[in-house]
Amino acid sequence: EEVEETYIMVKPDGVQRGLVGEIISRFEKKGFKLTGLKLFQCPKDLAEEHYKDLKGKSFFPKLIDYITSGPVVCMAWEGIGVVASARKVIGATNPLNAEPGTIRGDLAVQTGRNVVHGSDSPENGKREIGKISAFLFSFLFSGIGYKNFCL
Ligand code: DAT
Ligand code: MG
């Protein structure tokens, strides 16, 4: 049982529907530790990097359009076994297959509007948090442009 970090992101539909508090609450109540949080409009290149394993899938262009369509809430959560456990809290990719009691099982119906992302491995958790952190950090020193991306 290792302390891990996972990248959790409330997708644009979750933000627009006012589900941010509900989603954060489920991870807090489970007992995980919130170690980073940012409301953020994801640019296309970062979205493509985030979902690079799915490049080539028929739904990839729609997925990128969706994830860049409005602000997302990016979070890092820490805890023992948090990567796999967060995936259980989130539920199956297709909300119609997600068990009641999971976020997607309770709050979503469409795969293309499944309200939340969670890393699928500790390695991807590190990679995803690293990419978003590097992107945000780069804007801190650029002097311009930060407000165009970061709400
Ligand atoms: P997950 O988000 O459960 O990790 P994934 O990594 O396989 O699922 O896919 C990332 C996202 O891409 C998923 O949340 C929604 C979208 N997606 C996956 N499979 C899809 C499909 N068959 N049709 C449409 N969108 C899909
Ligand atoms: Mg995934």
Side-chain angles (χ1 to χ4, degrees):
E1 286 163 8
E2 295 238 331
V3 177
E4 303 169 344
E5 212 172 22
T6 193
Y7 179 60
I8 302 293
M9 176 173 66
V10 184
K11 297 179 180 183
D13 56 319
V15 175
Q16 192 172 18
R17 290 172 59 202
L19 299 175
V20 174
E22 163 90 30
I23 290 167
I24 289 176
S25 184
R26 290 183 181 222
F27 292 106
E28 284 184 324
K29 286 179 191 163
K30 176 72 182 170
F32 295 126
K33 181 179 167 186
L34 182 63
T35 55
L37 182 146
K38 184 82 184 82
L39 183 70
F40 172 68
Q41 175 93 35
C42 190
K44 197 173 176 198
D45 56 350
L46 186 62
E48 287 175 349
E49 162 68 35
H50 173 76
Y51 280 126
K52 70 184 170 72
D53 294 345
L54 298 171
K55 206 164 186 169
K57 300 272 187 193
S58 59
F59 58 81
F60 188 76
K62 275 196 171 167
L63 176 62
I64 299 305
D65 283 350
Y66 157 56
I67 217 72
T68 59
S69 67
V72 295
V73 173
C74 306
M75 295 178 276
W77 287 86
E78 188 186 274
I80 296 167
V82 69
V83 174
S85 181
R87 299 275 294 182
K88 285 187 189 159
V89 170
I90 288 169
T93 303
N94 182 343
L96 295 181
N97 299 331
E99 295 296 328
T102 65
I103 292 170
R104 287 168 175 168
D106 291 346
L107 304 174
V109 288
Q110 290 183 70
T111 301
R113 294 286 182 275
N114 61 9
V115 303
V116 65
H117 166 84
S119 308
D120 60 11
S121 66
E123 295 69 37
N124 277 334
K126 281 203 184 77
R127 177 180 70 85
E128 291 165 2
I129 291 167
K131 290 290 176 188
I132 186 90
S133 300
F135 182 83
L136 292 171
F137 198 64
S138 71
F139 275 99
L140 281 179
F141 293 101
S142 74
I144 53 159
Y146 186 76
K147 284 200 170 119
N148 292 331
F149 290 104
C150 305
L151 302 173

